[in-house]
Amino acid sequence: MSHPPRMNSIAVQQSAQNVCDWSTIDPQPAHRGGKAKFNIARKGVAQARSGSTQPLSPTVLPRTSGCVAKALFDMRQRAIRRDRACRQGSALFLYNRIFDDTLERIALVNRKFQSAFLLGCPDRIWPMRLRGEVGQVAVADPGTLFAKLADGSKLAEDSDRLGDAEFDLCVAIGTLDTVNNLPLALANIRAALVSDGLLIGAISGGNTLPMLRAAMRAADAAIGAATPHVHPRIDAPSLCGLLHNAGFVNAVVDVDRIHVGYQSLQSEVDDLRAMAATNILSERSRVPITRRALAAAAQEYARQRTAERTLETFEVLHFAAWTPVD
């Protein structure tokens, strides 16, 4: 089956829109990108799975006082937060907007996909909607309850149990931005796709939640100590590079900035909690925020108000990439 010709380039596009408005995307100049060799990607997967790493120094004797870095994200807490969102009722307005956009992009491809893997499913009707474009759909989610509600046939925390060359489409929304090894996750997805398969989805961009970040800096300043509050994010060019390094070709990333108005800092936090998007950093503070810090954060957040609301930005990186044709 054929699909529209795809340019071997990194296309980075940007858009800005009001709350609940669909984006208008203005294309920016394309940047050339190269193809990654699949055997190099396969070697990288094998090394990552086996735990093979290069030594940090040429010393022969093992070190006993070295500090072992923790994983960036707490995977157990990640599952707990998703289960909590499922029990208490998920905030789906952002997820559904992204999923609608993804379905439109899939429909534009002149091809009928036979088997799809849906990675991340906070809404139980997503698999049924995706089956309108695809023959069979397998589902996985880091949260046990989300997976059960969607009749998930698989449960994968870090995209590490997807099998080899089973699917011709993978849709990944809202999970790849909280994996501890994104290059490995992409390489495993690559291995799970057949020749000329499509990976499409969305991930949080680097300019996400600027108002919340400013409020948390004010909270830290109030108590004179800094603690990790907001997840680190990736930018569009870096994501394109990771896709190519994982063995994908013709990677395209669109930048979509969604503005949402909130009356208070607490209302934004409530939405993030219902989206299972609150802090799961391994180095997060386990001590509740003090009243003084909370007051400073709320004051800074309110200072950014426009027309009685603070406009928060969610930067979404829509991406698509293909596996090479054998």
Side-chain angles (χ1 to χ4, degrees), residues 20-38:
C20 299
D21 288 340
W22 289 99
S23 61
T24 302
I25 299 178
D26 300 321
Q28 303 295 320
H31 305 282
R32 294 188 59 82
K35 294 185 178 180
K37 297 296 185 181
F38 175 57

Side-chain angles (χ1 to χ4, degrees), residues 49-314:
R49 285 176 174 168
S50 66
S52 174
T53 57
Q54 294 295 324
L56 296 179
S57 66
T59 183
V60 176
L61 296 176
R63 298 188 177 196
T64 58
S65 60
C67 179
V68 178
K70 291 183 179 179
L72 179 61
F73 296 108
D74 183 340
M75 292 293 100
R76 180 176 177 273
Q77 196 63 33
R78 181 194 194 205
I80 290 174
R81 297 284 170 87
R82 292 183 78 86
D83 284 347
R84 180 182 65 183
C86 184
R87 287 192 302 269
Q88 297 181 357
S90 310
L92 296 175
F93 67 96
L94 191 60
Y95 286 129
N96 279 334
R97 171 183 169 135
I98 295 170
F99 188 69
D100 290 344
D101 188 283
T102 301
L103 288 183
E104 289 183 3
R105 293 165 187 252
I106 294 173
L108 292 175
V109 179
N110 184 24
R111 173 174 170 179
K112 179 64 176 179
F113 294 98
Q114 301 301 317
S115 179
F117 187 80
L118 178 57
L119 183 58
C121 186
D123 191 336
R124 63 189 306 171
I125 69 171
W126 279 13
M128 292 182 288
R129 297 184 61 195
L130 187 57
R131 288 186 187 103
E133 304 292 339
V134 183
Q136 298 178 347
V137 178
V139 181
D141 193 279
T144 304
L145 297 183
F146 279 146
K148 288 181 178 179
L149 284 178
D151 296 324
S153 58
K154 298 187 178 183
L155 180 65
E157 290 184 352
D158 282 332
S159 313
D160 57 355
R161 299 180 183 89
L162 305 187
D164 291 327
E166 295 185 40
F167 309 96
D168 57 1
L169 174 67
C170 178
V171 178
I173 295 176
T175 59
L176 291 180
D177 48 2
T178 51
V179 296
N180 283 316
N181 193 333
L182 182 54
L184 176 60
L186 293 174
N188 280 312
I189 293 173
R190 164 66 187 91
L193 290 171
V194 299
S195 170
D196 204 26
L198 174 63
L199 167 63
I200 190 169
I203 190 171
S204 296
N207 291 322
T208 295
L209 306 180
M211 299 297 103
L212 178 62
R213 292 201 302 267
M216 291 300 97
R217 286 194 297 269
D220 288 342
I223 61 174
T227 56
H229 296 290
V230 182
H231 297 170
R233 315 281 182 178
I234 194 171
D235 59 18
S238 297
L239 179 56
C240 276
L242 289 176
L243 288 166
H244 281 291
N245 290 340
F248 290 95
V249 297
N250 305 317
V252 177
V253 177
D254 297 338
V255 183
D256 183 16
R257 295 189 180 94
I258 304 168
H259 301 295
V260 181
Y262 288 106
Q263 292 183 342
S264 66
L265 175 62
Q266 186 60 51
S267 62
E268 178 174 340
V269 172
D270 290 343
D271 258 4
L272 293 175
R273 184 175 290 117
M275 288 188 283
T278 48
N279 188 359
I280 60 167
L281 291 170
S282 296
E283 298 296 335
R284 70 191 183 279
S285 174
R286 270 60 171 183
V287 179
I289 188 170
T290 66
R291 292 183 178 180
R292 179 182 178 185
L294 183 59
Q299 182 178 5
E300 174 62 25
Y301 193 86
R303 192 177 68 82
Q304 306 294 332
R305 282 182 182 173
T306 302
E308 298 184 355
R309 288 178 182 268
T310 298
L311 280 183
E312 185 61 280
T313 301
F314 293 85

